[in-house]
Amino acid sequence: MKLTLKIWRQKSANDKGNLVDYKVNDVSPDMSFLEMLDVLNQDLIDKNEEPIAFDHDCREGICGMCSMYINGRAHGPDRSITVCQLHMRSFKDGDTIYIEPWRAKAFPVIKDLIVDRSAFDRIQQAGGFISVNTSGNTQDANATLISKYAADTAMDAATCIGCGACVATCKNSSAMLFVGAKVSQYALLPQGQIEAAERVRNMVAQMDLEGFGNCTNTGACEVECPKGISLENIARMNRELMKANIN
Amino acid sequence: MSGFFKSSIGRKVSMALSAFFLMFFLIIHLAVNITSIFSEAVFNEMSHFMGTNPLVQFALQPVLIFGVVFHFVMGFVLEIRNKKAQGIAYAKNNGAANSTWMSRNMIYSGLVILAFIGLHFIDFWFPEINYKYIAGNPEEPTRYFHELQEKFVPIWRVAAYVLSFILLGLHLAHGFTSAFQSMGITAGRKKTLKTIGIAYSIIIPLGFIIVALFHHLNHH
């Protein structure tokens, strides 16, 4: 396949940046999208040009690093995948593909397609944990009985990889699917109950402080989430915050 | 608790609460309007009650005005804050791939509804307040039906009403279930409530449109 790529190039956080056109030839439909970029980068290196900076780590859909907005959608055209799981067979010979970094004030671009997602880390640090003794005498988790429903629903929420596709695709740059998943993960389990009120208050306060927008329930995040995190997690977070303020 | 309503989620909840109130009001308003199709006397009687009852006039009416103003002001506040949260616009963005047009354009359907409320106030509310409280005219319990008929004679006004109610329908098509979701009621995602939401967003605007068209076609 022959493709035209329109890729966002930005030298640094302070640089203005712009879209640059690249031609790639001999793209195999079996390549992953990241492998296609590897080929392009090798070509740029051979020509003594600056390769395109993009985040990637596991290349098996669990690290959530590949923050690329491809042809107008987070992680490209297919559902429930990250960019490493997107294959070139999803495109046609002669296609023009737009590749842009996540866009949100809270996710500033560091370089090219790499964005700073440390806002998510700070939200986690504000309450996305349980305080347990880790000195080696931790109680066996299986000693506390949990319903199958609670275990499964908490696990579904815990599959969030913090990739930021929810923020990138949201017209309001809202982080509520991410925060909803993290709040739910603990709210559903008995171990998370003790700090539940404090947790949701602190995480939502940090989310607001980071400058994410407000959810208007468009549901775009749920569609684009590579892990299929449900909007019900946002509803649960809303309930948790109301509960925390009433008690 | 005041801190709650300053948080992003608190603002969502307050939008939803005012939306519930306004959606309930729409049912009452339509119920009164629809009587004008069947009986001039009943319509006049209900309008007279609404226009003269002290509880409606001095308790419910201010609450309603507050509800409307609050919903709009908070809507604008959220829109401005959300605009601020966005980075540079994407060169290519395919919003239709993951969300409905209604959900992405609530501010625009809302602005049309706001313009309509402006027209509605000029048409009915200001003359009504002037008639009763400023000019101090004597009560005339049979005047309402004729006033209504006169308003729907010009085709431009009927067209503006129809267009506004179509936009209201689109606003409600997203807003109904969205309000439940904001309140943390996940039943909003279940089929029954979605069906009720779609039915509500069609029946209510259609009812108002039918009233406007009926009087336009039956009175020249």
Side-chain angles (χ1 to χ4, degrees), chain A residues 143-218:
Chain A
T144 312
L145 294 177
I146 302 165
S147 74
K148 175 82 173 122
Y149 170 79
D152 286 352
T153 319
M155 187 62 210
D156 286 347
T159 56
C160 166
I161 53 176
C163 65
C166 47
V167 175
T169 199
C170 177
K171 74 186 241 324
N172 310 318
S173 303
S174 169
M176 287 204 188
L177 194 69
F178 167 78
V179 184
K182 300 303 170 193
V183 165
S184 291
Q185 178 186 337
Y186 298 105
L188 285 157
L189 299 175
Q191 291 89 342
Q193 297 300 319
I194 302 121
E195 296 158 302
E198 198 185 334
R199 174 182 306 113
V200 70
R201 271 201 295 260
N202 291 344
M203 289 183 84
V204 169
Q206 189 63 36
M207 170 180 80
D208 291 349
L209 201 64
E210 295 291 349
F212 291 104
N214 204 337
C215 170
T216 51
N217 305 320
T218 67

Side-chain angles (χ1 to χ4, degrees), chain A residues 10-247:
Chain A
Q10 186 174 331
K11 285 193 180 76
S12 68
N14 300 321
D15 183 36
K16 206 165 164 265
N18 61 301
L19 282 171
V20 178
D21 287 7
Y22 295 95
K23 299 270 184 208
V24 278
N25 303 319
D26 301 326
V27 174
S28 157
D30 297 327
M31 281 178 179
S32 80
F33 201 86
L34 295 186
E35 284 163 348
M36 182 275 293
L37 287 178
D38 290 339
V39 170
L40 170 63
N41 268 351
Q42 192 55 52
D43 189 37
L44 291 174
I45 292 164
D46 290 345
K47 288 194 278 190
N48 260 338
E49 287 178 35
E50 178 85 9
I52 294 143
F54 63 94
D55 257 336
H56 60 102
D57 188 10
C58 74
R59 299 213 177 195
E60 55 182 11
I62 55 166
C63 75
M65 292 298 283
C66 44
S67 48
M68 288 179 212
Y69 212 74
I70 301 164
N71 268 355
R73 294 184 67 183
H75 297 140
D78 297 340
R79 280 186 76 159
S80 301
I81 54 159
T82 52
V83 180
C84 63
Q85 296 167 307
L86 174 66
H87 287 81
M88 298 316 294
R89 52 182 167 270
S90 298
F91 301 91
K92 293 192 307 289
D93 185 39
D95 272 1
T96 298
I97 306 173
Y98 283 76
I99 311 170
E100 300 171 78
W102 287 169
R103 297 293 192 195
K105 278 273 165 63
F107 285 169
V109 173
I110 297 170
K111 186 176 182 182
D112 296 341
L113 302 171
I114 299 177
V115 295
D116 178 0
R117 279 170 291 193
S118 57
F120 270 12
D121 298 337
R122 289 187 291 274
I123 293 171
Q124 275 290 74
Q125 286 156 9
F129 52 81
I130 53 167
S131 305
V132 287
N133 189 347
T134 54
S135 59
N137 56 356
T138 318
Q139 204 185 0
D140 186 346
N142 292 326
T144 312
L145 294 177
I146 302 165
S147 74
K148 175 82 173 122
Y149 170 79
D152 286 352
T153 319
M155 187 62 210
D156 286 347
T159 56
C160 166
I161 53 176
C163 65
C166 47
V167 175
T169 199
C170 177
K171 74 186 241 324
N172 310 318
S173 303
S174 169
M176 287 204 188
L177 194 69
F178 167 78
V179 184
K182 300 303 170 193
V183 165
S184 291
Q185 178 186 337
Y186 298 105
L188 285 157
L189 299 175
Q191 291 89 342
Q193 297 300 319
I194 302 121
E195 296 158 302
E198 198 185 334
R199 174 182 306 113
V200 70
R201 271 201 295 260
N202 291 344
M203 289 183 84
V204 169
Q206 189 63 36
M207 170 180 80
D208 291 349
L209 201 64
E210 295 291 349
F212 291 104
N214 204 337
C215 170
T216 51
N217 305 320
T218 67
C221 53
E222 182 185 53
V223 175
E224 301 297 355
C225 173
K227 298 298 155 189
I229 301 292
S230 159
L231 275 188
E232 295 194 8
N233 291 293
I234 299 182
R236 189 176 295 103
M237 170 175 64
N238 296 353
R239 288 202 299 276
E240 286 291 316
L241 190 70
M242 284 188 262
K243 212 160 71 182
N245 280 282
I246 289 163
N247 290 340

Side-chain angles (χ1 to χ4, degrees), chain B residues 21 53-66 133:
Chain B
F21 173 70
N53 183 283
L55 185 69
V56 174
Q57 284 293 298
F58 303 114
L60 297 181
Q61 187 166 257
V63 172
L64 173 66
I65 292 171
F66 174 78
Y133 303 121

